[in-house]
Amino acid sequence: MSEIPYKIYLNESEMPKAWYNLRADMVHKPAPLLNPATLEPMTAQELGGVFCEELVKQELDDTTPYYEIPQEIRDFYKMYRPSPLVRAYCLEKKLQTPAKIYYKFEGNNTSGSHKLNSAIAQAYYAKKQGLKGVTTETGAGQWGTALSMACAYLGLDCKVFMVKVSYEQKPFRREVMRTYGASVTPSPSNETQVGRKILAEHPDTTGSLGCAISEAVEVAVTNPGYRYVLGSVLNQVLLHQSVIGLEAKMAMDKYGIKPDVIIGCAGGGSNLGGLIAPFMGEKLRGEADYRIVAVEPASCPSFTRGTFAYDFCDTGNICPLAKMYTLGSSFIPSANHAGGLRFHGMSTTLSQLYHDGFMEAVSVVQTDVFEAAQTFARVEGILPAPESSHAILAAMNEAIRCRESGEEKTILFGLTGTGYFDLVAYKQFNDGTMSDYIPTDEDLQVSISKLPKVDK
Amino acid sequence: MSEIPYKIYLNESEMPKAWYNLRADMVHKPAPLLNPATLEPMTAQELGGVFCEELVKQELDDTTPYYEIPQEIRDFYKMYRPSPLVRAYCLEKKLQTPAKIYYKFEGNNTSGSHKLNSAIAQAYYAKKQGLKGVTTETGAGQWGTALSMACAYLGLDCKVFMVKVSYEQKPFRREVMRTYGASVTPSPSNETQVGRKILAEHPDTTGSLGCAISEAVEVAVTNPGYRYVLGSVLNQVLLHQSVIGLEAKMAMDKYGIKPDVIIGCAGGGSNLGGLIAPFMGEKLRGEADYRIVAVEPASCPSFTRGTFAYDFCDTGNICPLAKMYTLGSSFIPSANHAGGLRFHGMSTTLSQLYHDGFMEAVSVVQTDVFEAAQTFARVEGILPAPESSHAILAAMNEAIRCRESGEEKTILFGLTGTGYFDLVAYKQFNDGTMSDYIPTDEDLQVSISKLPKVDK
């Protein structure tokens, strides 16, 4: 047995006191969000109607390298952080690999994922601005749960629009949010203009994330004292999530460990952007080199088969345009795909870094992902979320290549969460009824051809 | 902010290397199990047909104070232990109490509870004896999940009989067990003689724990290479669970903290017996004094309203008799009660200690328990299991008394697990449709009057 423990925990006194703003070290900054009406960059004032002030500042600031984490947020972090950096001794043994595998586990909190890191920050700034509450949308429910927890802690009102099909199929997620005092409304609803319009036109619709976003934004901008918050894609979210990478790097530095490869799953980019932040910073500054790999589902392959262009962030086309790798906002991934990596686009920061050659991307199919999840669960004892399992599979593949080549690489991957609310998907896998879906080139040509015409 | 961190983690090198056998320090030993046919104490040979050898030895040994934890089990423990000892700063603030509240959190593993501590030990000894597999029953599913995980890790066959009503109402628990490779059979089934007999007589039965035990035992004794394992009540289980208390005491000693009151929920006694073990040891040896409080549901009040007598451990009356606090094996707690504290009896060790005045017991009603669970979740961020929430409520009540009296007591309680699979009960509470049930004196007189006549 090596001297490196199974789990490396930092002391609370070692926890990061500032978030790291990756954009400060980028030569090519991520392109600005554009106002969909004028196609001009969104101003702080325009964004301020939707988001609270401090978050607008963080969203637009691509030069300040560090943001101090307010003491109140650090106190909240202490309830579930520092999260463990785990040496996957049992997985290494199972794979008979000379590679050393580490994972940063973000599932040790009731929200079941890393989403809480940004939820508490966004709720804190809303509270500090004197707001009454926040609105948001949720699909699978991880983000909604995290936000409910943060708002319960701060005594802030929390209104969640949950895609109707999820509301009905994931009643337990809904109950967790209610236990934390959030109001959860199936979307589309009669509570908003946009919801009523959609219901009038499509009375039997099961809803969509795009529609839920529209409802949440409408409630935020029409109710004094409310703002809208979002759990991924945005620069501010990557800033808050940098706590993952900062802790991981500090824990590795403590034992003199340097990763060769860093792997994370990528939906909107919140986890990957957070995990890689300080490593990518070193890479951008020319201080160190790392291979950085984004893993995405073959059913929704924004990086590997998308195009780098301005596009809407929502299917309803009411939100600002972002320059990103996208499959087109009209692209709808197969409903049979499990998990939260179904976003058609990608964080603008990660998109720019990928475009500039600072990171790689691979796509993997769902049944392989669940096969890896099952193997991981049995040897490492954690039931992983489907999203996280994309990273597990890529890390396992890397370790198997090391077995074949004899290389003793050090692999770090992000284990973003647990799969307690994904057991319908596990059941499909256990029953052998899970299928894979890969969009055809024609499918993608159609959705990409509908991109808005932006000359930037 | 005090210098005591939110979470006290031991280093892996500080983890206990031996379990503590509380019985070694008891002057009045727990009474022996009796053979239901002869009413004579069960011999090692008789028990060996059902349990594997090393576990029989541990079951019967009431003199050896320490059992070394085999290295393989310690390696497994490292995947999810040491578990954190948490200072409930936020709960203290919420209650405005001068009391200091600590909880030992055992929910940071996929089984979601402390059950894994004994599951890995029992599976390990079965494997070491060269057995092919183990059988067990499960109701709510925590024990079955824990055993599935342990067996997956060791490559041991695992056969779980799950009470039919739970099998149907908790499909997600079933899927977790299947993901870990266990076979899960709804009980009663056609796979056993006893199951077929019950089905012939009661084709529409939804099953019972007693019936599931009978089926699991039958499969174990009629299949070469199989033994039966059990997750609570037994002395061996309390021995393995002592790891909880040993870690808690070590963490508190490290910071010079001495608890005044130690609180745990009590169903069969596995968690409570483990948490209190080293503290009770000091108390028995006259080295220190602690108040030790068992918390049980008012719907199944073995300690507070039961009688201390020999009784069957199972409703089917095929298992050995144990001398314990019991409501009678024919007592059936209301089906509307959530959680795993519905056993009519209690660990013989804890029963003897309670009888001898070394501990107290209180009973609490379900809606109060969920009220406490909700408060705890909102301030401490963990969604607790209903079982654990009994201890939360008792600890909160103690802290409120301290607020009134001004006493700065130090309270330690066991947070045995998470409530991810108990959201049907949370929904009832959120909807206001949860009810309380307290058996009448007449109910208890009837079931207690049916106790077997044993002159010991």
Side-chain angles (χ1 to χ4, degrees):
Chain A
M1 192 63 52
S2 155
E3 280 177 37
I4 294 168
Y6 269 76
K7 300 190 296 296
I8 306 178
Y9 277 106
L10 300 173
N11 298 321
E12 282 175 13
S13 59
E14 296 169 311
M15 284 174 66
K17 294 183 179 54
W19 294 302
Y20 169 58
N21 182 8
L22 182 55
R23 289 164 290 162
D25 283 309
M26 290 169 70
V27 174
H28 299 146
K29 307 291 183 188
L33 298 173
L34 299 186
N35 183 319
T38 64
L39 297 186
E40 291 302 315
M42 292 287 289
T43 63
Q45 199 187 352
E46 285 169 340
L47 286 170
V50 180
F51 300 111
C52 71
E53 288 162 23
E54 176 64 26
L55 293 168
V56 169
K57 186 179 156 218
Q58 293 178 3
E59 189 62 31
L60 296 175
D61 180 357
D62 55 15
T63 55
T64 310
Y66 286 98
Y67 269 82
E68 192 187 327
I69 308 174
Q71 186 62 49
E72 292 85 342
I73 297 177
R74 284 164 56 197
D75 281 345
F76 186 88
Y77 278 171
K78 283 181 192 166
M79 294 205 298
Y80 69 101
R81 310 200 66 81
S83 73
L85 178 74
V86 185
R87 173 75 183 267
Y89 282 115
C90 299
L91 183 62
E92 290 171 17
K93 195 173 154 196
K94 170 81 180 175
L95 300 176
Q96 299 185 284
T97 177
K100 295 170 184 68
I101 309 174
Y102 293 86
Y103 56 90
K104 180 74 170 164
F105 180 43
E106 293 289 318
N108 268 352
N109 70 73
T110 290
S111 82
S113 82
H114 66 292
K115 295 283 182 187
L116 198 52
N117 300 329
S118 185
I120 184 62
Q122 296 191 45
Y124 168 79
Y125 291 117
K127 177 87 179 176
K128 204 178 157 203
Q129 193 174 320
L131 297 176
K132 274 189 265 179
V134 290
T135 70
T136 199
E137 79 291 336
T138 201
Q142 285 183 333
W143 168 246
T145 307
L147 190 67
S148 305
M149 290 177 65
C151 288
Y153 180 80
L154 295 168
L156 208 60
D157 191 33
C158 179
K159 183 147 191 63
V160 181
F161 287 90
M162 188 169 187
V163 179
K164 191 182 275 177
V165 62
S166 298
Y167 183 89
E168 283 159 7
Q169 288 181 354
K170 296 203 167 192
F172 291 171
R173 272 281 185 211
R174 188 212 316 163
E175 288 311 319
V176 178
M177 291 185 257
R178 286 181 71 203
T179 299
Y180 284 93
S183 86
V184 187
T185 305
S187 167
S189 76
N190 274 314
E191 296 183 18
T192 64
Q193 243 180 339
V194 63
R196 286 188 291 272
K197 182 163 178 285
I198 291 169
L199 282 175
E201 287 167 11
H202 309 281
D204 297 326
T205 180
T206 56
S208 72
L209 211 51
C211 167
I213 292 176
S214 307
E215 291 202 82
V217 171
E218 181 183 321
V219 170
V221 299
T222 55
N223 284 279
Y226 283 78
R227 289 295 185 283
Y228 169 72
V229 295
L230 180 64
S232 191
V233 183
L234 297 173
N235 293 322
Q236 61 187 268
V237 177
L238 267 70
L239 175 70
H240 307 146
Q241 295 296 355
S242 70
V243 71
I244 304 173
L246 291 165
E247 279 186 11
K249 186 156 191 321
M250 218 173 296
M252 295 189 112
D253 286 348
K254 206 168 162 174
Y255 285 87
I257 308 159
K258 186 178 174 295
D260 298 296
V261 194
I262 302 164
I263 297 169
C265 61
S270 69
N271 141 69
L272 181 65
L275 175 68
I276 66 174
F279 302 100
M280 182 62 89
E282 286 191 334
K283 189 166 174 167
L284 290 168
R285 297 189 302 270
E287 297 164 7
D289 198 16
Y290 305 96
R291 267 185 65 212
I292 293 175
V293 184
V295 192
E296 54 186 19
S299 61
C300 191
S302 322
F303 272 138
T304 51
R305 298 175 68 198
T307 190
F308 188 46
Y310 265 106
D311 193 9
F312 293 99
C313 290
D314 62 321
T315 44
N317 294 3
I318 60 161
C319 288
L321 283 79
K323 190 168 181 186
M324 57 187 176
Y325 279 84
T326 178
L327 301 167
S329 65
S330 65
F331 177 78
I332 299 172
S334 164
N336 83 358
H337 186 80
L341 304 177
R342 305 179 62 205
F343 184 56
H344 67 276
M346 183 57 64
S347 139
T348 59
T349 299
L350 295 183
S351 291
Q352 188 66 48
L353 289 165
Y354 181 68
H355 185 70
D356 291 343
F358 288 102
M359 50 187 280
E360 309 164 23
V362 294
S363 73
V364 290
V365 298
Q366 181 168 234
T367 50
D368 291 348
V369 166
F370 274 80
E371 182 84 40
Q374 189 192 68
T375 300
F376 183 83
R378 292 184 183 183
V379 296
E380 290 287 324
I382 293 169
L383 186 77
E387 297 86 343
S388 325
S389 303
H390 287 70
I392 293 174
L393 171 59
M396 284 172 62
N397 288 340
E398 190 72 32
I400 290 168
R401 279 190 293 273
C402 287
R403 178 178 70 206
E404 285 155 10
S405 69
E407 289 174 286
E408 294 186 23
K409 281 187 190 168
T410 297
I411 301 166
L412 166 64
F413 74 89
L415 189 69
T416 53
T418 50
Y420 297 115
F421 295 98
D422 302 290
L423 286 157
V424 170
Y426 271 99
K427 182 175 190 316
Q428 284 178 2
F429 179 72
N430 291 336
D431 290 344
T433 58
M434 176 173 274
S435 61
D436 291 318
Y437 167 76
I438 302 175
T440 64
D441 288 339
E442 290 71 31
D443 290 339
L444 296 182
Q445 275 161 18
V446 168
S447 60
I448 289 173
S449 71
K450 293 182 188 162
L451 286 178
K453 305 278 172 285
V454 180
D455 192 21
K456 298 195 189 213
Chain B
M1 192 62 53
S2 157
E3 280 176 38
I4 294 169
Y6 269 74
K7 298 189 297 296
I8 306 177
Y9 276 107
L10 299 173
N11 297 321
E12 282 174 14
S13 59
E14 296 170 309
M15 284 173 66
K17 295 183 179 57
W19 293 302
Y20 168 58
N21 183 7
L22 182 55
R23 288 165 290 162
D25 282 309
M26 291 169 69
V27 174
H28 299 146
K29 306 291 185 188
L33 298 173
L34 300 186
N35 183 319
T38 64
L39 298 187
E40 291 302 316
M42 292 288 288
T43 64
Q45 200 188 351
E46 285 169 340
L47 287 169
V50 180
F51 300 111
C52 72
E53 288 161 22
E54 177 63 26
L55 293 169
V56 169
K57 187 178 156 217
Q58 293 177 4
E59 189 62 31
L60 297 175
D61 181 357
D62 55 16
T63 55
T64 310
Y66 286 98
Y67 269 82
E68 193 187 325
I69 307 174
Q71 185 63 49
E72 291 86 342
I73 297 177
R74 284 165 55 196
D75 281 346
F76 185 88
Y77 278 171
K78 283 180 192 167
M79 293 203 299
Y80 69 100
R81 310 200 66 82
S83 73
L85 178 74
V86 185
R87 172 77 182 266
Y89 283 116
C90 300
L91 183 61
E92 290 171 18
K93 194 174 156 196
K94 170 82 181 175
L95 300 176
Q96 298 185 284
T97 178
K100 296 170 184 70
I101 308 174
Y102 293 86
Y103 55 90
K104 180 73 170 165
F105 181 42
E106 293 289 318
N108 267 352
N109 70 74
T110 289
S111 81
S113 82
H114 67 293
K115 295 283 184 188
L116 199 51
N117 300 328
S118 185
I120 184 62
Q122 296 191 46
Y124 168 78
Y125 291 117
K127 178 85 177 177
K128 204 180 159 204
Q129 193 174 320
L131 298 175
K132 274 188 268 180
V134 290
T135 70
T136 201
E137 80 291 336
T138 201
Q142 285 183 332
W143 168 246
T145 307
L147 190 67
S148 304
M149 290 176 66
C151 288
Y153 180 80
L154 295 168
L156 207 59
D157 191 31
C158 179
K159 185 147 189 62
V160 180
F161 287 90
M162 188 169 187
V163 178
K164 191 182 275 176
V165 61
S166 298
Y167 183 91
E168 284 160 5
Q169 287 181 353
K170 296 205 167 189
F172 291 171
R173 272 281 186 207
R174 188 210 318 164
E175 287 313 317
V176 178
M177 292 186 256
R178 288 180 71 202
T179 298
Y180 283 93
S183 85
V184 187
T185 306
S187 169
S189 76
N190 275 313
E191 294 183 21
T192 64
Q193 245 181 335
V194 63
R196 286 188 292 271
K197 183 163 177 283
I198 291 169
L199 283 175
E201 289 167 9
H202 310 281
D204 297 327
T205 179
T206 56
S208 71
L209 212 50
C211 168
I213 293 176
S214 307
E215 290 202 85
V217 171
E218 179 183 323
V219 170
V221 299
T222 55
N223 283 278
Y226 283 78
R227 289 294 185 284
Y228 168 73
V229 294
L230 181 63
S232 190
V233 183
L234 297 174
N235 293 322
Q236 60 187 270
V237 177
L238 267 69
L239 175 70
H240 308 146
Q241 296 294 357
S242 70
V243 71
I244 304 172
L246 291 165
E247 279 186 11
K249 184 153 191 322
M250 218 173 297
M252 296 190 111
D253 286 347
K254 208 167 162 175
Y255 286 87
I257 307 158
K258 187 177 173 296
D260 297 296
V261 194
I262 303 164
I263 297 169
C265 61
S270 69
N271 141 69
L272 181 65
L275 174 69
I276 67 173
F279 301 100
M280 181 63 88
E282 286 190 334
K283 188 166 174 166
L284 290 169
R285 296 189 301 271
E287 296 164 8
D289 198 18
Y290 304 97
R291 268 185 64 210
I292 294 175
V293 183
V295 191
E296 54 186 18
S299 62
C300 191
S302 321
F303 272 137
T304 50
R305 297 176 68 199
T307 191
F308 188 45
Y310 265 107
D311 192 8
F312 293 98
C313 290
D314 62 321
T315 45
N317 295 2
I318 60 161
C319 287
L321 284 78
K323 190 168 181 187
M324 57 187 176
Y325 278 85
T326 179
L327 301 167
S329 65
S330 65
F331 177 78
I332 298 172
S334 166
N336 83 358
H337 186 79
L341 304 177
R342 304 179 62 208
F343 184 55
H344 66 276
M346 183 56 64
S347 142
T348 58
T349 300
L350 295 183
S351 292
Q352 188 66 50
L353 289 165
Y354 182 66
H355 184 68
D356 292 342
F358 288 103
M359 50 188 280
E360 309 163 24
V362 293
S363 74
V364 289
V365 299
Q366 181 167 236
T367 49
D368 290 348
V369 166
F370 274 80
E371 182 85 40
Q374 188 192 67
T375 299
F376 183 83
R378 291 184 183 183
V379 296
E380 289 289 321
I382 293 170
L383 187 77
E387 297 86 343
S388 324
S389 303
H390 287 71
I392 293 174
L393 171 58
M396 284 172 63
N397 287 341
E398 189 71 33
I400 289 167
R401 279 191 292 272
C402 286
R403 179 179 70 206
E404 287 155 9
S405 69
E407 289 174 286
E408 291 186 26
K409 282 188 190 167
T410 297
I411 301 166
L412 166 65
F413 75 88
L415 189 69
T416 53
T418 49
Y420 298 116
F421 294 99
D422 301 291
L423 286 158
V424 170
Y426 271 99
K427 182 175 189 315
Q428 283 178 3
F429 178 73
N430 292 336
D431 290 344
T433 58
M434 176 173 276
S435 60
D436 290 318
Y437 166 76
I438 302 176
T440 63
D441 289 338
E442 291 70 31
D443 291 340
L444 295 182
Q445 275 161 17
V446 168
S447 60
I448 289 175
S449 71
K450 292 181 188 162
L451 286 178
K453 306 277 172 285
V454 180
D455 193 21
K456 297 193 189 214

